Each structure stands twice: as structure tokens, then as C-alpha cells.
Amino acid sequence: SPFFAIPVTTQGSQTQQLQKHYGITSPISLAAPKEFDCMLTQKLIETLKPYGVFEEEEELQRRILILGKLNNLVKEWIREISESKNLPQSVIENVGGKIFTFGSYRLGVHTKGADIDALCVAPRHVERSDFFTSFYEKLKQQEEVKDLRAVEEAFVPVIKLCFDGIEIDILFARLALQTIPEDLDLRDDSLLKNLDIRCIRSLNGCRVTDEILHLVPNIDNFRLTLRAIKLWAKRHNIYSNILGFLGGVSWAMLVARTCQLYPNAIASTLVHKFFLVFSKWEWPNPVLLKQPEECNLNLPVWDPRVNPSDRYHLMPIITPAYPQQNSTYNVSVSTRMVMVEEFKQGLAITDEILLSKAEWSKLFEAPNFFQKYKHYIVLLASAPTEKQRLEWVGLVESKIRILVGNLEKNEFITLAHVNPQSFPAPKENPDKEEYRTMWVIGLVFKKTENSENLSVDLTYDIQSFTDTVYRQAINSKMFEMDMKIAARHVKRKQLHQLLPNHVLQKKKKRGFIRSSPAPAVTAASVTNIQASEVTVPQINSSESSGGTSNESIPQTATQPAISPPPKPTISRIVSSAYLLNPSPRTSGNVATKMPSPVTAVKRTSSPHKEESPKKMKIEEDEISEDTSCIDLNEHEKMETKVSMPRPCNFKTPSTDLSDIPALPANPIPVIKNSIKLRLNR
């Protein structure tokens, strides 16, 4: 329900109305800023400046000019289309058409050199096909336009271009209106009626951004706080929607919720309160900026009472515009654990800043990810050309969260933390054209009793991930023979052999375990393992923290608290793989296992007659007789099993890959590899 706020006038912002709706609960505090808060906010601004988070006025004016040109092009194009379709002259004169912006530029928090997210809104007689043909051609003719490309088949179709040095992504929405008025408010839900789903998706970005700006009590304070939080998240390697952390819109909604709870506070206070609120938040209670409204347009919305799959979301942050969606569905147990830990550390540092025991610069110090963990997985993607590398890296990166999910389900792993930053990797063969990118994943193993030397087998977790990637690449006809994924376990002290100089200032080392596409799989043994639950302890709200212990964080009252789902029994299979055109090095793969909170994917193929069943997972140092062992690195006690290639008649592909056409019928060598490491206690 709305609450009554004291009217406050702030610099360069709107005067607060006497009656204003600031979210779904009452505020925690209406306290106005003190002189000390103003001084701390000024210090925060000075600290942010060197990081390039503020754009120069000249650059800002250039963006406005470019968007003006683009807007005129849209109007001109829509008039031309209207004339070609013989609309009455009176309609043509007022037909309109407009470029709207969304994302960080619209929120007013874009950094130097950032791209612009834009939406082209057209009246009903302009088709989507017109946008991707005649408007595309019109853009092509502009001398300022470079790198023009259309991605018409994307989930949200887009034209990408560089306009006078500024990267712009343009989406398209065709509204059921005869003309597009200049003062059109895209937040109007009735605009969505009878629209194509691609138009609804395209409108969503603008509608969400506009709602956020209308739901914060003071836009200037919101913007400065959000700039600080986004920089902090990037510096701490937790800014990435695709890898299971939070993207820009999610960080914006968390900051907006903080502003609602402290409507009169300024940025220095809001940054501190942000960490206070979200270090104590009882996930998976959702973060909502407004009460969800039902529009009777029958679009799917986030609602755990109706949709069972929504109950498994670990950190729901719900977009405020209809149809409401969870912007954080990629978050996993590990990424949430990492973020909550960062919130707590942020709270401790801002407590110190408020007590004048530390400077703002401490908050933005980048922690050393490569000192944080004892064990790491290094994942490498390579392709023969730069163009293929970009495609391949995009696909691999979009699937890394599946690997993280697989690793989380391993009963000996507590945490798998992927660093969102990727690194260039050295060529394996200097004479061969090859483009390589790598990612690093930090691992925390569970402390177990009565085991001095514990062997943990990661073969299944890694190979099922690589199979997923290869399968998608083959199905989407993107796959080229020399596109490869390699994975390797390393200890902290060995990272200097693998990472580029600008990260660790040491030489790099080569030699990876390769995986190649596997069209068929033989299951050597199936063992049920009860996946052990990773519990994140709830913070007691009475814990003392810089004099803030008496503040209780209001959770969402309207949604029932969602209890975490029961942990399923996971069927794990150690298997060998049949390889298509394997490289001379050791390689192998198994069928896909998609991380699901409910079930794990089982293998359907039966054991190969030549294979003897292998014991499962965590044997103390046992190696089957039919494999020869190559020790990659004795001091890290990591083993790779390689069975020598044997001919095998490949008759039927596994059911997992039955949709792949024309698999070869010639003999294919069998190569088995396993990634096994022994933890010395």
C-alpha cells in the first residue's frame, strides 16, 4: 500500500509528491541525509571518476545527436513505407514512428564507450520483414554506419550496427496503432494486446527500464548508487547474467528496492544499505518493486504458486512490467553463495567507511580470484578462424553454467565459482592457425571425515558439459571440425603455467585434456548417489553490524516463502565415448546431462561388449586393468586414463543424438579419458 513521504527537493531531480508509492512494503527509514553523508557522497563521486563510470558532456551530446539522426531515419523510412502502401496523405503526415532507448543508457548509468540499446516502434502497417529489409538497406546507405548485421532468427530479433563510433542494438516492435504519437508511454499494458510475441519481447526492455525509473523516489540518488554497485560487481567478478551472476537490469532492481526502503537517503547511505539489505535477505523470497498485476492477456508470468519450475529459482528478482519475469533464472547454488558472501564483505567494508576507518577505494579493490581457491578447472575453447572463435566462444560461454550445475551436483564439491572474465590462450602449435579462449573455475571441495587421500572423478561432469555444447553446435549447423573444447584441473600454484602474463606475469603452459563430439555412448556402470545438500545458513537479523542490527529487512509479504526443493537422487554413470574424427591426443565425451532441480538425465545405451564395468567415482586410487595410466603431473596427483584406440563397428547412434543426420558408419576408434584428482589432506 502507498505510504506518505515528507516532500523533499533534491538537486537536479523532481520534487517528491506528498503521496507516492514506493514499493510493496513501508520504508525502513525516512531519515534525511546529514552533512557527513553529503561529504561521504562527494568522496564516493571522486573515487568513481578514475574508473570511467561518468561520461564527458561532449560524449553525451554526441550520443544524443546520433540517436536524433537515427530517430529521423526511422520517421523517414516509415513515411516511405506508408506511401508505398497507399495510405491516405492525412495519415502519412502524422504517421510518426520513434526510437526509444532502454538499458544502462536509458537508466542514465552508462559508462564511457558503452553501447546503446534501442527500440524502433512502428505503426501497424509496417511489417517486421520491412524492418529487416528496407530499413536495413536504408541504414546500409548511411556513411556513418559500419559493421551492420541483422540477427533476424534470434529469440529477440535485432539489427546491430556501429553508428559514428557508437555501438547500437536496435530491436523492432510493431504496435496495433495507425500512428505513433510523440508522447507514447510504452508502460501502457493495453499496447500489448494482440501483439506478436517477438514484439512483446522487444518492448519488454523499455517497459522494465521505464517502470524502474518511475518506482524510485529520487532518480539522481538511484543513478549514483547504481553506478557504484555496478562498478563494485564488475570489479568483484559477479557481473554476468549469462554465467549465472546478475546482469545490469537485476543490479538496477536491487538498487531500486534499496532506494524504496530508504526514500530520503543519498548515495553514500544507499550503498551501505544495499549491502545491509541483501546480505540479510532470506532467499528465495523474491525481490519485487511493485505488486504484480494481472492483465488478462494470457502471457506467462513468474508465479511459483502456478508454475512448478518457478519454485526452483534460487534468487528471484522480478521485473516490474507485465509480463513479470524472473531476471535471474540462471543463478545457481554456487553463484548465489558467491554473491551473498560478497554482499557480506561489502557490508563489512562500508561499515568501516561509515566509521571513517576506510576509504571508498577499498570497496572497489579487485580481489585476487586466482589466490582465492586451491583447485581450479581451466576450460579452453579453440577454433581455426577468428570469426569461428567468436561464434564458438559465444556458444561455450552460454553453456558454462551447465558445467557449474554439473560440478555442484558432484557430492564432493561445495562450490564452483566461474570467473566471468575470459582470457586469450597461447597457440598449441605455433605453425597452425588457431584462436583460443579460456575460462577459469574455482572449486571448493567438501571436508570429509576419515579420508586422507580422496579421489574425486570429474570426468562425467566435464564430459557431459562438452557433449551438450557439441550437440547444440551440430544441431544448429555451426560446428566445424576444428572447433574444440579442452578442460584441465590445476592447483593454485600451477595457474602461472596456464594464464597469460597480464594476469599473473608468468609463462604459460600447454597441454589439455581434449573432448570431441560423441555420437554414441556406452554406460560402464550406473550408481545412484544421493546428492548432498549445500545449505546456505540464514543470517540472524539480530547480528550486530555497524549499528544496524535493529533494522529488520521486509521480505515480500504477498508471496509465500518458497522452501528449497528436495534434493533429488542423481544417477551418475561412468562411461566411455565413441568419437567422431578424434584428434591424435586423448579425447572423450559422454551424453548430455542438463542440470535440473528435479531429475538428472540417464544414459540409455547399454555397455559395449568389450568394456568391463568400472567402479564408481571415489575409489581410493583404483585403476581398471584395461587402461594404461598417464600421469599429467605427479605433484598434483591428477590422473588421466587413456585406453588405446580399438576398431569398433558403429551401428546405431545413442538415443541422445538420434536427431543428428548422417552419422558415419565406418569404424571409429574408442578413446576413454577420465579426469581424476586426489585430494591430499
Side-chain angles (χ1 to χ4, degrees):
S1 61
F3 70 87
F4 294 87
I6 307 158
V8 179
T9 306
T10 54
Q11 67 287 357
S13 184
Q14 74 276 30
T15 303
Q16 300 306 311
Q17 301 300 310
L18 186 63
Q19 188 177 0
K20 178 75 179 169
H21 189 280
Y22 288 132
I24 60 166
T25 63
S26 301
I28 292 174
S29 168
L30 289 169
K34 298 183 174 64
E35 195 179 329
F36 179 68
D37 302 323
C38 297
M39 185 194 75
L40 269 184
T41 298
Q42 199 51 46
K43 281 188 173 178
L44 175 61
I45 292 169
E46 295 306 316
T47 307
L48 290 173
K49 278 179 182 172
Y51 289 102
V53 299
F54 299 109
E55 195 170 49
E56 302 297 329
E57 185 60 31
E58 188 184 338
E59 185 71 7
L60 193 58
Q61 290 306 320
R62 186 161 150 259
R63 284 175 186 269
I64 292 167
L65 192 67
I66 286 169
L67 285 167
K69 286 183 182 177
L70 207 50
N71 200 44
N72 290 337
L73 279 176
V74 165
K75 289 181 190 303
E76 197 180 292
W77 165 64
I78 290 173
R79 273 199 304 274
E80 288 165 5
I81 292 273
S82 307
E83 283 167 0
S84 71
K85 296 191 178 179
N86 299 320
L87 265 72
Q89 197 58 39
S90 58
V91 172
I92 292 170
E93 281 166 17
N94 300 301
V95 74
K98 194 174 175 185
I99 284 281
F100 291 83
T101 59
F102 61 101
S104 65
Y105 177 79
R106 174 74 179 97
L107 286 172
V109 295
H110 61 286
T111 55
K112 285 179 185 172
D115 61 357
I116 297 176
D117 296 306
L119 169 71
C120 169
V121 174
R124 64 189 178 204
H125 59 274
V126 179
E127 305 281 344
R128 180 170 288 277
S129 57
D130 295 327
F131 178 71
F132 283 102
T133 52
S134 56
F135 186 62
Y136 181 88
E137 286 304 317
K138 196 169 189 66
L139 287 169
K140 211 176 191 175
Q141 289 159 19
Q142 309 306 310
E143 59 181 60
E144 303 103 320
V145 172
K146 304 272 185 297
D147 301 330
L148 182 66
R149 56 217 181 275
V151 192
E152 198 170 350
E153 300 310 312
F155 186 70
V156 183
V158 61
I159 289 177
K160 291 172 170 282
L161 66 138
C162 187
F163 198 114
D164 198 14
I166 304 275
E167 293 280 342
I168 305 177
D169 289 357
I170 313 175
L171 311 182
F172 175 80
R174 169 198 186 204
L175 300 185
L177 302 172
Q178 191 174 34
T179 62
I180 303 299
E182 274 303 303
D183 59 352
L184 180 68
D185 185 352
L186 295 178
R187 292 183 305 145
D188 182 353
D189 293 332
S190 66
L191 293 174
L192 302 181
K193 204 169 179 183
N194 301 323
L195 285 200
D196 176 273
I197 188 64
R198 291 166 300 180
C199 290
I200 292 172
R201 286 184 198 133
S202 299
L203 284 164
N204 192 52
C206 283
R207 286 167 52 81
V208 168
T209 308
D210 287 358
E211 280 287 0
I212 291 170
L213 290 171
H214 278 85
L215 289 166
V216 293
N218 180 301
I219 290 176
D220 286 350
N221 292 341
F222 163 74
R223 282 176 173 155
L224 184 51
T225 308
L226 181 53
R227 284 183 191 280
I229 294 302
K230 283 179 70 165
L231 175 64
W232 166 82
K234 286 172 183 173
R235 299 282 293 165
H236 286 250
N237 287 313
I238 53 171
Y239 190 104
S240 173
N241 176 49
I242 200 167
L243 290 175
F245 295 105
L246 305 189
V249 74
S250 301
W251 291 114
M253 288 190 283
L254 292 189
V255 170
R257 186 71 188 110
T258 310
C259 292
Q260 290 179 338
L261 293 169
Y262 301 90
N264 299 325
I266 57 175
S268 58
T269 307
L270 289 167
V271 169
H272 175 244
K273 298 303 187 188
F274 171 90
F275 292 119
L276 173 68
V277 169
F278 294 110
S279 62
K280 294 179 186 296
W281 195 269
E282 292 177 5
W283 304 106
N285 281 319
V287 174
L288 292 160
L289 295 181
K290 63 183 272 192
Q291 199 57 53
E293 295 159 5
E294 183 45 64
C295 288
N296 298 321
L297 295 177
N298 288 327
L299 294 171
V301 297
W302 186 86
D303 190 343
R305 296 166 303 184
V306 177
N307 311 316
S309 62
D310 290 347
R311 295 169 203 165
Y312 296 96
H313 292 176
L314 299 175
M315 203 173 177
I317 302 171
I318 309 307
T319 55
Y322 180 84
Q324 297 82 12
Q325 304 292 318
N326 175 22
S327 65
T328 64
Y329 53 86
N330 287 341
V331 168
S332 71
V333 171
S334 286
T335 54
R336 184 178 74 176
M337 212 185 290
V338 168
M339 286 187 282
V340 170
E341 190 53 44
E342 290 288 0
F343 291 152
K344 289 181 197 168
Q345 287 177 16
L347 178 61
I349 293 168
T350 49
D351 277 343
E352 287 181 17
I353 293 167
L354 264 57
L355 294 167
S356 301
K357 290 182 179 176
E359 298 295 326
W360 282 112
S361 54
K362 185 173 180 181
L363 186 64
F364 305 114
E365 282 172 8
N368 192 336
F369 177 83
F370 304 107
Q371 288 299 318
K372 195 169 182 179
Y373 302 104
K374 269 187 174 176
H375 298 273
Y376 295 86
I377 295 287
V378 175
L379 190 66
L380 185 143
S382 58
T385 69
E386 176 58 17
K387 182 176 180 292
Q388 286 174 350
R389 185 194 70 85
L390 284 170
E391 283 188 338
W392 187 230
V393 162
L395 176 62
V396 172
E397 187 172 54
S398 73
K399 301 296 174 193
I400 287 177
R401 59 195 163 84
I402 292 172
L403 174 58
V404 170
N406 290 353
L407 292 168
E408 283 174 356
K409 290 193 184 86
N410 188 306
E411 65 167 349
F412 294 100
I413 292 175
T414 303
L415 184 79
H417 178 186
V418 58
N419 187 335
Q421 191 181 356
S422 61
F423 302 96
K427 282 188 179 183
E428 203 169 40
N429 181 351
D431 304 327
K432 191 180 173 192
E433 260 320 271
E434 196 174 29
Y435 296 84
R436 293 146 68 87
T437 297
M438 62 183 165
W439 297 265
V440 184
I441 302 168
L443 296 180
V444 176
F445 289 95
K446 283 204 179 98
K447 289 182 170 65
T448 53
E449 294 172 21
N450 310 322
S451 61
E452 281 302 305
N453 286 323
L454 183 71
S455 282
V456 180
D457 191 349
L458 303 181
T459 313
Y460 174 79
D461 305 321
I462 290 168
Q463 290 188 338
S464 61
F465 156 72
T466 59
D467 187 69
T468 301
V469 179
Y470 281 121
R471 194 162 65 135
Q472 178 145 339
I474 291 166
N475 287 347
S476 64
K477 300 184 170 55
M478 185 188 101
F479 183 72
E480 301 288 339
M481 270 329 296
D482 281 331
M483 288 178 170
K484 293 166 192 158
I485 313 174
R488 163 148 195 210
H489 161 263
V490 293
K491 284 191 173 178
R492 178 168 55 207
K493 61 190 172 190
Q494 298 165 297
L495 280 171
H496 71 273
Q497 301 168 322
L498 296 160
L499 284 160
N501 290 340
H502 73 271
V503 179
L504 292 175
Q505 301 301 313
K506 295 277 176 84
K507 281 192 175 175
K508 309 153 199 165
K509 181 182 170 185
R510 295 160 194 162
F512 279 80
I513 298 160
R514 279 229 199 283
S515 293
S516 298
V521 174
T522 61
S525 73
V526 179
T527 308
N528 283 332
I529 293 179
Q530 188 68 35
S532 46
E533 184 117 17
V534 178
T535 57
V536 182
Q538 288 297 344
I539 318 303
N540 189 327
S541 60
S542 65
E543 278 177 21
S544 176
S545 176
T548 53
S549 59
N550 59 349
E551 293 182 13
S552 64
I553 308 302
Q555 306 290 333
T556 306
T558 53
Q559 295 283 358
I562 305 153
S563 56
K567 209 71 174 180
T569 299
I570 295 168
S571 294
R572 288 185 179 273
I573 300 97
V574 174
S575 57
S576 60
Y578 298 102
L579 303 181
L580 281 173
N581 304 315
S583 67
R585 288 179 164 67
T586 66
S587 44
N589 213 348
V590 294
T592 313
K593 172 187 151 204
M594 294 293 289
S596 157
V598 186
T599 55
V601 177
K602 275 195 173 186
R603 297 297 176 283
T604 51
S605 41
S606 57
H608 191 276
K609 63 182 179 185
E610 290 186 27
E611 302 289 356
S612 58
K614 306 291 179 293
K615 286 185 184 166
M616 186 52 206
K617 286 290 173 217
I618 312 91
E619 301 160 344
E620 294 287 325
D621 226 343
E622 277 185 39
I623 298 167
S624 306
E625 290 173 21
D626 68 340
T627 59
S628 57
C629 179
I630 295 175
D631 202 341
L632 276 189
N633 218 320
E634 286 201 304
H635 68 271
E636 78 168 309
K637 298 264 180 88
M638 176 189 157
E639 294 154 16
T640 304
K641 295 190 225 169
V642 182
S643 63
M644 301 314 289
R646 301 180 300 233
C648 137
N649 286 319
F650 179 31
K651 294 189 177 161
T652 52
S654 77
T655 53
D656 276 48
L657 292 176
S658 56
D659 52 347
I660 296 176
L663 287 165
N666 58 317
I668 296 170
V670 180
I671 298 177
K672 179 200 300 180
N673 88 327
S674 93
I675 298 169
K676 226 180 161 191
L677 51 131
R678 194 167 325 124
L679 307 179
N680 296 324
R681 303 291 177 195

